[in-house]
Amino acid sequence: QVQLVESGGGLVQAGGSLRLSCAASGRTFSSYAMAWFRQAPGKEREFVATIKWSGSVTDYADTVKGRFTISRDNAKNTVYLQMNSLKPEDTAVYYCAVCRYTYSVSRRLDDYNYWGRGTQVTVSS
């Protein structure tokens, strides 16, 4: 059974940093892009960042570009999101996901077929 488990969320002051991790189990995802999405209360889930299977290509939402860094360790079947210079508007539940297509990256929710349960990130002003 495939499982994605996020960790590393919490409460942080504006300007602070957090590092999220997402550990996958049940199968290997080394051929698939992985991504982070987030959902704030009352809002739709939105794309944050994605990384190609090889780690050679990354893509970020404009709202986090320059502040967040996505990375992965295929040997550990884990993807990370380093979040710096956090802002109150970054407050959301953060989800990791695995792309349903091999060897491609995407910003579209529908292109991801495995999801974690999410980890809460709260940034106070």
Side-chain angles (χ1 to χ4, degrees):
Q1 184 178 358
V2 174
Q3 267 196 318
L4 301 177
V5 179
E6 302 95 337
S7 61
L11 174 63
V12 64
Q13 288 189 328
S17 298
L18 283 174
R19 189 193 193 207
L20 306 184
S21 299
C22 172
S25 61
R27 58 172 288 187
T28 181
F29 293 107
S30 58
S31 298
Y32 298 84
M34 298 182 76
W36 290 93
F37 291 80
R38 67 186 182 186
Q39 187 166 18
K43 294 188 176 181
E44 294 186 350
R45 194 169 298 188
E46 64 176 8
F47 167 77
V48 175
T50 186
I51 185 167
K52 192 175 179 180
W53 67 274
S54 61
S56 62
V57 176
T58 57
D59 187 27
Y60 298 90
D62 289 344
T63 52
V64 306
K65 197 172 295 183
R67 300 187 297 121
F68 291 10
T69 302
I70 189 171
S71 61
R72 66 189 294 164
D73 184 338
N74 287 337
K76 296 182 178 179
N77 232 15
T78 300
V79 65
Y80 306 96
L81 186 68
Q82 177 67 43
M83 306 186 295
N84 298 329
S85 303
L86 282 161
K87 305 175 181 180
E89 50 264 44
D90 294 320
T91 295
V93 177
Y94 284 70
Y95 300 89
C96 71
V98 179
C99 189
R100 65 176 73 243
Y101 306 116
T102 56
Y103 309 114
S104 64
V105 292
S106 173
R107 293 185 171 202
R108 299 177 65 247
L109 269 75
D110 289 347
D111 287 342
Y112 291 83
N113 59 340
Y114 291 112
W115 293 84
R117 293 190 173 186
T119 185
Q120 176 70 46
V121 171
T122 303
V123 184
S124 64
S125 56

